[in-house]
Amino acid sequence: MLFHVRMDVNIPRDLPVEQANEIKAVEKAYSQELQRQGKWRHIWRITGQYSNISIFDVESNEELHNLLQGLPLYPFMNIEVMPLNRHPSSVRDDDS
């Protein structure tokens, strides 16, 4: 199942810089491992914002929910999820 996910990050200004940097480092490692596994297919930064648009390829809503909750920055995020379906006008037979 493919999902379009928008993540807006709002780290509190009073969070110590060292703690924020540690969370970001763990987040990067976690997200890169999910990318290597093929579950986090694409990630794009939204210009001028601390936000991203990502495409996930997972087995279920529950799997996506668990992956998102596992993000170290999850407590500081607003997340929008949109399930994706193949469009009948697509010229491709796959997700390339």
Side-chain angles (χ1 to χ4, degrees), residues 15-80:
L15 189 70
V17 172
E18 301 81 23
Q19 186 178 355
N21 287 341
E22 176 62 25
I23 292 169
K24 290 179 201 176
V26 175
E27 175 97 4
K28 182 176 183 177
Y30 178 77
S31 70
Q32 288 180 340
E33 179 55 30
L34 291 174
Q35 290 173 66
R36 284 186 201 81
Q37 292 175 20
K39 294 178 185 289
W40 197 325
R41 297 267 297 270
H42 300 279
I43 182 170
W44 292 277
R45 179 175 293 183
I46 299 173
T47 303
Q49 300 178 31
Y50 195 173
S51 303
N52 74 71
I53 297 291
S54 294
I55 302 296
F56 284 84
D57 188 359
V58 294
E59 294 296 318
S60 66
N61 295 332
E62 183 177 4
E63 181 181 12
L64 178 62
H65 182 76
N66 291 335
L67 292 177
L68 294 175
Q69 280 195 317
L71 291 165
L73 286 170
Y74 180 80
F76 311 115
M77 289 182 174
N78 294 322
I79 299 175
E80 288 182 25

Side-chain angles (χ1 to χ4, degrees), residues 6-22:
R6 178 182 174 137
M7 295 176 238
D8 299 311
V9 182
N10 299 296
I11 298 175
R13 293 179 187 259
D14 61 348
L15 189 70
V17 172
E18 301 81 23
Q19 186 178 355
N21 287 341
E22 176 62 25

